[in-house]
Amino acid sequence: MIWKKTIQEGDQRVLSPLVHNKQIYLPVPSSLTELSGLELKQNTGSLSGFGESSIHTPTKSRSQQSSHSISLHVSDNTNFGSSSSIAFPVLQRTAEEKILNSDRLSLERQKLTVCPIIDGEDNLRLLNFQHNFITRIQNISNLQHLVFLDLYDNLIEEISGLSTLRSLRVLLLGKNRIKKISNLENLKNLDVLDLHGNQITKIENISHLSELRVLNLARNLLTIVENLNGLDSLTELNLRHNQVSAIKDVDTLPCLQHLFLSFNNISSFEDILCLADSSSLSDITLDGNPIAQETWYKHTVLHHMMQLRQLDMKRITEEERRMASVAARKEEERKRESHRQALLKEKKRLTICNIARQWEIQQNQIALVASLNQDKDNEPCQINGSAAYVFPEESRSLDTILSSAVQGLSVLESHLVEVEGDTLSLYGAGALECLDRNWSAQTAGIIVTVSFMFIEFDEIVQVLAKLKIKFPNSVHLKFKETNLVTLQQFNALAQMHRLEQLTVDPQGNPVVSFALWKYYVLFRLNHFNLQKINGVKVTENDIVMAERLFGILAYVASSELPHYRKLSLFGESRAKQFHCLLEGKGKKSGTGSEESSDNGRNGSESTTRAMLNYTTKDFHMEKLEEIKERKTFCQTYVENLVKEAADINMKNESLQKLWPQMFIELVRDAVIEIRNKNSYMKLCLQRITDQKQ
């Protein structure tokens, strides 16, 4: 083959001659008729998952030539001549070389920057341009019988110039600069397409390649695998060393057997879930992905892809399948439980939000009603710390506004009862009804802390007696958004059986803003020997200070109450003790204080402190109603007595006036009757006889 220099005006590029007698080898099937069933894995440049390289043409000696490698002798008889119409080199071969290798030609490593014009090669079927500097595919449109085209390792930026090559079966464009898959519309018979090592960001324009069996897109810039519909013959897909994070449409490939996804960004099984629906897939690689670092990776993949024979280039055994099935089942149960817990947690959050909204509406309604009752002049009023102005028309529609707000809330539970560890949490007033349930002894026994949220303290007071019976080991009470407003309310906690800790959250409990509230709690609940208040440990100094501040209060309270009222506050044993105190028994110096301290140490409430009790608003209203009814009854009874006495007096006065005349008439009638003695006696006898009859 002879090279001739072709120099165009203004173009100083020179095509270097091939080395004399150089042997060039191209791995191809022994017979071109075998291309219909091409198996490239038999060659060193296979497109299998073992590598991403294109089909190479390694140098061999003549003694190494086999049925898959033929020799093309390049002599000085072949020359590149100039073309008068196009500024491209022209390749011409001798008749002898055409006879020896009429259907194949290799121009590997010739430092070509353009594709030369190849004349008189109508029967050429294999063409190799590997390892050159070609930037554009051109001058091969006349090779309409071409079935194998190798342009590996060039500088091509766009797929073009192939529209007339309708017989092309193998197209190797690996290691170029291609950014987009395009211009393959007429290559419907394509069997192998190698585009590895380019800059492709999207799979597109290949759905018409229904005969394509091997597609190599390794070492590109792909992030999503999609647009694979129509590749009905595809058996091998290589996507190694990309940036793939999600896969679509792979389950629509009916013949896909080998899928290589090593070294991508797949992080969860959900990203490749469609692979589980592929019945033909038998070999897959996922090593080098974040998902492969997970402990459940292999078990999950094998469980969902029972048809696999190899995973990450390792054959799968039946024992591995069995273990994977067991592990995947456990993982599924764990995920199901985790999902259930997440749903419960979200439902709990929504329920608590709903309870909080209802509580806020309720508090706003109470504040508005109180403000309207106190201020009839439409002055600004405070609602939960924010200023609001109430107009006459607004006050008339207050109930309507609040009702609309309540109806706008999500349809969720209005209360929540939760047992978590040793803590019982009650949200909303309706949760107090849970104390009437039949709690198991085991559950009731482990409850140490009881937390109240979004419940009026007065409603809590009514169930404290049940609380100490249902949960005998409860020693810690928590209050949040319970309207603890006055120190007097803490008196109600004295009826608890035991109490070691008390937590009052500042949110929704204004009493915490009082500087001395902790000391009052220590004083009033001295018999409990509280250990902590709001998480802070109680010291001896705190107890002494509480006694100094509020000690006189108990004495004043007990001295002001009448005896009958005091006795009504005590039980039988405490009443006897109180009688002893009144009678002066044991009234020695210091007896009172010693008894008080002994009571505190023994866990029983002191007599004087018991006078400090708390009456709820509802109970107070009931008492007022009862007193009012008694007052009305007494008033009516006294009025009736007075009226009856007045009637008797009037009758007496009338009798005094009429008595003299009545007496005279009585005497007169008697004298007249006994005037005739015999007649009178008969009359008397007759009366006696009549009475007997």
Side-chain angles (χ1 to χ4, degrees):
M1 180 184 294
I2 299 177
W3 290 81
K4 289 188 178 180
K5 297 181 180 179
T6 302
I7 304 176
Q8 295 295 325
E9 185 178 354
D11 187 355
Q12 300 300 320
R13 290 176 295 177
V14 178
L15 294 178
S16 302
L18 289 167
V19 180
H20 186 65
N21 292 333
K22 181 178 179 181
Q23 302 296 322
I24 301 175
Y25 300 93
L26 179 65
V28 296
S30 59
S31 174
L32 291 178
T33 58
E34 295 179 7
L35 283 173
S36 60
L38 188 64
E39 288 293 342
L40 295 176
K41 289 186 179 180
Q42 298 175 0
N43 305 316
T44 58
S46 170
L47 297 180
S48 69
F50 294 93
E52 291 81 44
S53 63
S54 174
I55 296 181
H56 298 283
T57 56
T59 303
K60 299 181 181 178
S61 64
R62 291 183 182 272
S63 60
Q64 293 175 313
Q65 296 178 22
S66 65
S67 61
H68 297 285
S69 179
I70 66 171
S71 171
L72 176 61
H73 181 74
V74 182
S75 70
D76 293 336
N77 296 326
T78 303
N79 68 82
F80 286 95
S82 62
S83 172
S84 60
S85 59
I86 303 176
F88 293 102
V90 178
L91 175 65
Q92 297 176 347
R93 292 195 299 175
T94 63
E96 180 183 354
E97 289 178 335
K98 288 183 180 180
I99 293 173
L100 292 176
N101 302 289
S102 61
D103 57 0
R104 59 204 70 188
L105 174 64
S106 176
L107 297 174
E108 179 184 0
R109 301 182 187 277
Q110 299 304 309
K111 299 182 181 180
L112 297 174
T113 58
V114 295
C115 295
I117 297 175
I118 303 174
D119 279 340
E121 300 287 352
D122 294 340
N123 295 324
L124 196 65
R125 306 191 71 179
L126 288 90
L127 181 59
N128 179 12
F129 283 116
Q130 281 192 30
H131 307 293
N132 283 289
F133 303 99
I134 298 172
T135 59
R136 184 177 179 185
I137 306 172
Q138 53 192 349
N139 300 328
I140 60 172
S141 59
N142 60 314
L143 307 176
Q144 297 185 8
H145 296 288
L146 198 66
V147 296
F148 188 103
L149 177 60
D150 189 352
L151 287 161
Y152 172 76
D153 191 18
N154 279 278
L155 303 176
I156 299 170
E157 296 184 356
E158 181 184 8
I159 302 174
S160 61
L162 304 174
S163 59
T164 61
L165 307 182
R166 299 179 183 274
S167 298
L168 195 64
R169 299 291 305 277
V170 179
L171 178 59
L172 309 180
L173 290 169
K175 202 175 179 181
N176 278 280
R177 299 179 179 179
I178 299 171
K179 297 181 179 179
K180 182 179 181 180
I181 304 175
S182 60
N183 300 319
L184 299 176
E185 290 79 10
N186 294 332
L187 306 184
K188 296 183 179 180
N189 294 320
L190 205 60
D191 187 81
V192 176
L193 177 60
D194 178 17
L195 292 169
H196 87 275
N198 284 282
Q199 302 169 20
I200 299 170
T201 59
K202 183 179 181 181
I203 300 176
E204 56 186 337
N205 302 319
I206 60 172
S207 59
H208 62 286
L209 302 178
S210 59
E211 300 296 324
L212 189 67
R213 291 192 307 109
V214 179
L215 176 60
N216 189 353
L217 290 169
R219 295 187 185 278
N220 278 280
L221 304 175
L222 299 172
T223 57
I224 299 178
V225 179
E226 57 184 349
N227 301 327
L228 297 176
N229 294 319
L231 303 181
D232 297 338
S233 301
L234 192 67
T235 60
E236 181 176 312
L237 177 59
N238 191 343
L239 297 166
R240 292 174 125 191
H241 293 282
N242 276 276
Q243 302 169 15
V244 175
S245 59
I247 297 178
K248 302 177 182 178
D249 301 337
V250 174
D251 55 321
T252 64
L253 303 176
C255 298
L256 184 65
Q257 298 178 13
H258 311 284
L259 176 61
F260 306 105
L261 290 166
S262 304
F263 303 100
N264 280 282
N265 294 331
I266 299 170
S267 58
S268 68
F269 188 76
E270 285 70 20
D271 298 334
I272 57 173
L273 195 59
C274 66
L275 300 181
D277 298 326
S278 176
S279 58
S280 60
L281 192 62
S282 62
D283 184 8
I284 185 173
T285 63
L286 290 166
D287 54 303
N289 285 276
I291 189 177
Q293 305 300 320
E294 301 290 345
T295 56
W296 46 262
Y297 156 66
K298 187 173 183 178
H299 293 153
T300 302
V301 172
L302 294 183
H303 175 69
H304 289 279
M305 302 182 191
M306 299 298 293
Q307 76 279 13
L308 286 183
R309 296 180 180 178
Q310 284 194 156
L311 175 61
D312 296 335
M313 311 306 294
K314 296 179 182 178
R315 178 166 289 278
I316 301 167
T317 65
E318 289 302 321
E319 179 64 17
E320 287 178 325
R321 292 185 191 278
R322 188 188 65 79
M323 293 179 62
S325 180
V326 173
R329 197 179 304 115
K330 291 181 179 179
E331 181 66 19
E332 191 68 25
E333 291 175 358
R334 187 193 65 79
K335 287 184 178 180
R336 193 180 298 112
E337 178 63 20
S338 177
H339 181 65
R340 189 181 70 84
Q341 292 296 333
L343 289 177
L344 290 176
K345 186 176 181 180
E346 180 63 13
K347 182 179 180 181
K348 172 187 172 182
R349 186 188 69 81
L350 293 175
T351 301
I352 293 175
C353 289
N354 186 56
I355 294 170
R357 286 196 295 265
Q358 291 181 351
W359 171 263
E360 184 178 1
I361 291 174
Q362 177 185 348
Q363 298 307 306
N364 286 344
Q365 183 179 16
I366 293 172
L368 280 172
V369 172
S371 299
L372 290 173
N373 291 336
Q374 293 176 2
D375 189 357
K376 300 297 183 180
D377 298 328
N378 296 331
E379 294 181 358
C381 62
Q382 291 289 326
I383 306 175
N384 285 350
S386 60
Y389 195 86
V390 183
F391 294 93
E393 58 271 17
E394 290 182 348
S395 63
R396 286 196 300 269
S397 61
L398 177 62
D399 292 337
T400 305
I401 295 172
L402 293 174
S403 298
S404 301
V406 172
Q407 291 174 0
L409 295 175
S410 302
V411 182
L412 295 169
E413 297 290 340
S414 59
H415 65 274
L416 177 66
V417 180
E418 181 185 31
V419 177
E420 186 173 358
D422 61 355
T423 301
L424 172 65
S425 299
L426 306 176
Y427 300 85
L432 297 177
E433 297 177 1
C434 77
L435 298 178
D436 295 326
R437 298 179 185 172
N438 293 325
W439 292 82
S440 66
Q442 182 180 1
T443 303
I446 65 174
I447 299 300
V448 175
T449 302
V450 181
S451 176
F452 300 94
M453 279 166 277
F454 306 110
I455 308 174
E456 287 285 350
F457 184 79
D458 285 358
E459 297 182 16
I460 298 173
V461 171
Q462 299 174 17
V463 300
L464 288 178
K466 295 180 182 178
L467 190 66
K468 68 180 182 181
I469 296 174
K470 289 284 186 179
F471 308 104
N473 295 327
S474 60
V475 293
H476 184 190
L477 296 182
K478 290 184 177 181
F479 299 94
K480 181 178 180 181
E481 292 284 1
T482 56
N483 268 347
L484 266 167
V485 180
T486 65
L487 296 176
Q488 187 184 10
Q489 290 175 297
F490 288 114
N491 298 340
L493 301 180
Q495 60 183 295
M496 289 293 294
H497 177 65
R498 292 169 57 195
L499 192 61
E500 295 179 2
Q501 291 190 55
L502 179 65
T503 302
V504 182
D505 196 291
Q507 187 175 345
N509 295 305
V511 71
V512 179
S513 62
F514 298 166
L516 303 177
W517 77 273
K518 291 184 180 179
Y519 293 112
Y520 182 80
V521 170
L522 288 174
F523 164 75
R524 182 60 187 88
L525 306 179
N526 178 264
H527 58 290
F528 286 141
N529 290 325
L530 284 170
Q531 303 298 313
K532 289 183 180 180
I533 296 180
N534 276 13
V536 179
K537 189 174 182 180
V538 177
T539 64
E540 289 293 334
N541 292 335
D542 293 333
I543 297 174
V544 172
M545 180 60 70
E547 190 66 30
R548 288 179 181 177
L549 290 171
F550 297 102
I552 191 65
L553 183 63
Y555 172 76
V556 173
S558 61
S559 62
E560 291 298 324
L561 284 177
H563 295 337
Y564 77 91
R565 185 72 179 93
K566 293 176 184 177
L567 291 175
S568 66
L569 296 176
F570 302 141
E572 183 178 352
S573 61
R574 304 301 297 279
K576 291 180 180 179
Q577 181 186 9
F578 184 70
H579 277 303
C580 291
L581 288 175
L582 291 180
E583 293 171 3
K585 294 180 181 179
K587 276 193 176 181
K588 296 181 180 180
S589 177
T591 301
S593 61
E594 290 176 2
E595 178 192 356
S596 176
S597 62
D598 288 343
N599 286 336
R601 287 192 294 268
N602 295 332
S604 58
E605 192 176 8
S606 67
T607 304
T608 54
R609 285 181 173 82
M611 303 299 175
L612 300 172
N613 59 355
Y614 174 65
T615 304
T616 63
K617 293 179 182 178
D618 293 340
F619 184 76
H620 182 66
M621 294 301 296
E622 290 177 2
K623 285 293 183 182
L624 290 178
E625 289 294 330
E626 184 180 349
I627 292 172
K628 186 176 180 180
E629 291 177 1
R630 288 181 180 179
K631 183 178 179 181
T632 303
F633 172 78
C634 291
Q635 186 175 359
T636 304
Y637 182 72
V638 171
E639 288 177 354
N640 291 335
L641 288 177
V642 171
K643 184 177 180 181
E644 186 176 351
D647 292 342
I648 292 173
N649 186 52
M650 289 178 61
K651 291 179 180 179
N652 185 39
E653 290 179 355
S654 300
L655 181 60
Q656 292 295 330
K657 293 179 180 179
L658 297 175
W659 177 246
Q661 182 63 31
M662 291 174 61
F663 183 76
I664 294 172
E665 292 179 355
L666 287 173
V667 172
R668 186 189 63 190
D669 293 341
V671 172
I672 294 174
E673 284 184 357
I674 63 174
R675 180 183 300 171
N676 188 345
K677 187 176 181 180
N678 293 329
S679 299
Y680 180 70
M681 291 177 67
K682 289 180 180 180
L683 180 61
C684 290
L685 290 173
Q686 184 63 37
R687 290 175 179 173
I688 293 171
T689 303
D690 294 339
Q691 289 178 356
K692 288 181 178 182
Q693 293 178 351

